[in-house]
Amino acid sequence: MNCIPFDERLLDATAGSAPAPLTAEERLHVGSCPLCREAAAGEERLLRRLGAAAASAAASAAAPGPGSAPDPGPAYWNATVPRLRRRLDASPKFGDVPGPLRVLLPAAAAVALAIVVGVFSAGPVPVVGGAEPPVRSLTEAELQVLRQTERHRALLDPSGWNGTEETTLAEFLADLIDDDPDAGLLAVADPLEVIAQAGDWEFADIVGSLEMGRNNRR
Amino acid sequence: MTEQTDRELIGAFRNGDDSAFNLLVLRHQQRVYWLARRILGAHADADDVVQEVFLRVYRGLARFRGDSEFTTWLHRIAVNLALNEARKQKLRNFFRSDLLHDEVPSGSDDPERILLRKEEQSLFDRAVATLPPRQKTVFVMRYHEGMKFDEIAAALRLSTGGVKSNYFHALRRIDRFLKERER
C-alpha cells in the first residue's frame, strides 16, 4: 500500500477531530516502512505535547490568555471603553468644522479624488507606504521555474500543498522567508520590505535575488 | 433579555446609538488583546493594538458592509496592526520570548505543581515565540483562538492552502524546538 498521509492526519487532528485509528493494513505498513514509522511516532509525540500544553493552559487561572501570561485584570478591562472614548472625544470630528467648510470640504475631496483617479488611470504608480501591496498569482511558467531548483521545489511542496492552488506571489515570498530566514532575500534586502513590495517585483528579480543571496553565502 | 448580536449592535450604532459601540468593545476586547499579546508578547504593545483596533472599528463601522462576519473583519484589523507593530520592532525583538512572562501570575495551588506547570507552559510559549511572524499568527488563530482554517484564510486574506501550510510548518517547528530542549 502507499505511505500514509500523516501530515494531513495531523492537520485534521489539530483542527478538532481526533485522527482516525490506523487500520490493520495501515499498521502493517507502518511496521515495514521506516518513513511512516518515524511519521507515526512524530504524530503521537506532537499531539501529546499539544494536548499537554492545552491542559496546562486550561489548568492555569489565566484563561483565555496564554497559559503563563497573567490576565491584566478587571481594572484594565473596565478601563478600555473610557480610554477609547477619551481618545475619540479628543480627535477632531466633522461636526467641529465651521459651517461654510462643511460644504467646501466634500467638494474639495471630490476634486482631489478626481485628480487621483486621473493620475492612476494614466499609468502605474509606485506603492505608497502603508498601502496594501497588489498581489498577483504565480503563473504556471513561474511555478515551473521554481520547481527546477530543489530548494524552491521543497518550499512549494512543503506539506502536500503544491503551490498551484491560489498561490500568490506575496504568500510565496512570505513562506520562503519564514522557512529560511537566514537565506536568500535577507542577503539583499529587508524581508519585510520585500513582502510589502512583493506586488511590484518582477518575477525575474525575485529569482535573481535568491540566487544572489545564495552566492553571497558561498 | 436576549443578548444583541454583533449585527444588531452594528445596526444600532449606524442608527445613532453610540453606546452600541461600547458593547462591541466589551464583547470583543479580550479576544483582540490576547491575539495581539500572543503575537507581540508584551502587555504594553498588545494594549496599543487594542486601542488602535477599536478606534479603527469605530471609524470604519459606517463603511462595514457586512459581507463577512464582524469577527472576521475585527481579526483582520487586529492581525494587520499587530504585524505592523512587529515589523516596527524588527525581527530581533519579535523573537524575544521573555516578554510573555513580564508579570508573575499568582496562585494558591501546590507550589511544586505550579512550578512544573509553569515550566511546561513556559517552554511551550517559548517554542511558539520562536515561530516566524506569519506562522505564529496562523498558529495563534488556529490553536489558541480555535478558528477554522477557512476563517483564518478569510481574516488574513490568504488561501486555505497557504494557511494550512503555515500551520503545518509551525507545528513542526514547535515539535523540533521541544525535542531539542528534551535532549
Side-chain angles (χ1 to χ4, degrees):
Chain A
M1 71 172 289
N2 292 331
C3 285
I4 298 155
F6 277 100
D7 294 350
E8 284 174 28
R9 284 169 55 87
L10 196 58
L11 283 173
D12 288 345
T14 53
S17 53
L22 294 174
T23 63
E25 192 187 4
E26 285 172 334
R27 280 202 303 275
L28 204 63
H29 174 79
V30 168
S32 63
C33 172
L35 285 175
C36 281
R37 204 159 46 235
E38 169 65 23
E43 177 189 270
E44 193 191 330
R45 189 177 58 236
L46 188 53
L47 289 177
R48 200 176 53 237
R49 280 177 176 145
L50 288 171
S56 178
S60 81
S68 57
D71 189 287
Y76 171 77
W77 301 121
N78 292 337
T80 306
V81 169
R83 285 172 63 206
L84 279 166
R85 286 292 174 189
R86 276 197 296 278
R87 290 182 67 178
L88 287 166
D89 289 345
S91 59
K93 288 187 276 291
F94 187 65
D96 297 339
V97 177
L101 285 180
R102 287 185 206 178
V103 179
L104 290 175
L105 278 179
V111 170
L113 184 65
I115 291 170
V116 168
V117 168
V119 169
F120 270 78
S121 59
V125 291
V127 175
V128 181
E132 203 163 303
V135 169
R136 68 178 175 85
S137 295
L138 290 175
T139 65
E140 187 51 41
E142 289 168 347
L143 285 165
Q144 199 61 41
V145 173
L146 289 170
R147 287 193 195 104
Q148 282 168 8
T149 61
E150 194 178 342
R151 204 172 79 86
H152 296 163
R153 192 166 57 241
L155 287 163
L156 284 171
D157 191 12
S159 60
W161 170 56
N162 63 15
T164 55
E165 184 193 343
E166 299 172 42
T167 308
T168 64
L169 191 58
E171 281 180 76
F172 167 71
L173 281 171
D175 284 345
L176 184 72
I177 291 159
D178 280 357
D179 199 75
D180 191 1
D182 299 324
L185 296 158
L186 269 183
V188 290
D190 180 342
L192 298 169
E193 290 296 321
V194 172
I195 290 177
Q197 299 295 329
D200 278 357
W201 279 49
E202 289 297 324
F203 181 72
D205 292 338
I206 295 166
V207 173
S209 297
L210 290 167
E211 296 307 324
M212 198 189 305
R214 180 178 292 175
N215 292 337
N216 285 347
R217 288 196 309 282
R218 278 181 183 153
Chain B
M1 196 180 98
T2 322
E3 201 175 59
Q4 284 176 289
T5 63
D6 288 344
R7 213 168 274 275
E8 286 167 345
L9 288 173
I10 292 166
F13 177 80
R14 283 172 151 179
N15 289 329
D17 179 5
D18 211 46
S19 66
F21 171 74
N22 297 358
L23 293 175
L24 282 171
V25 174
L26 290 171
R27 182 176 292 173
H28 295 289
Q29 61 170 335
Q30 295 213 16
R31 178 188 281 245
V32 172
Y33 172 85
W34 287 114
L35 181 67
R37 180 86 190 260
R38 289 185 187 106
I39 292 173
L40 293 165
H43 165 76
D45 295 333
D47 177 49
D48 285 345
V49 169
V50 170
Q51 289 284 310
E52 195 55 38
V53 165
F54 285 109
L55 285 176
R56 292 195 185 199
V57 166
Y58 185 88
R59 290 167 186 147
L61 265 182
R63 294 191 306 277
F64 178 66
R65 290 176 304 181
D67 294 342
S68 60
E69 288 295 319
F70 172 71
T71 48
T72 303
W73 184 57
L74 187 69
H75 268 108
R76 190 178 297 151
I77 297 172
V79 166
N80 284 342
L81 287 172
L83 288 179
N84 280 346
E85 182 58 34
R87 285 184 185 115
K88 284 185 204 158
Q89 293 176 0
K90 295 290 177 186
L91 293 175
R92 66 177 181 282
N93 287 336
F94 192 81
F95 289 125
R96 283 181 63 184
S97 59
D98 54 326
L99 293 171
L100 201 58
H101 316 289
D102 58 358
E103 291 164 71
V104 181
S106 60
S108 56
D109 212 346
D110 169 26
E112 217 169 293
R113 283 187 59 187
I114 291 174
L115 190 67
L116 191 66
R117 189 192 300 153
K118 271 175 67 178
E119 276 173 8
E120 281 173 0
Q121 190 58 45
S122 164
L123 191 62
F124 188 77
D125 287 344
R126 286 210 324 264
V128 176
T130 61
L131 296 174
R134 180 182 293 230
Q135 286 180 22
K136 188 196 281 185
T137 304
V138 169
F139 182 81
V140 164
M141 294 173 89
R142 167 69 224 127
Y143 182 71
H144 288 289
E145 304 286 322
M147 292 172 72
K148 293 175 183 161
F149 288 124
D150 53 354
E151 288 172 342
I152 300 171
L156 300 181
R157 288 188 173 150
L158 294 174
S159 66
T160 306
V163 169
K164 282 185 178 177
S165 170
N166 274 285
Y167 187 70
F168 181 78
H169 279 297
L171 291 176
R172 284 284 179 243
R173 268 178 193 259
I174 291 170
D175 190 38
R176 267 207 307 273
F177 181 94
L178 297 175
K179 207 168 156 186
E180 282 165 12
R181 295 303 179 284
E182 277 176 4
R183 281 178 191 156

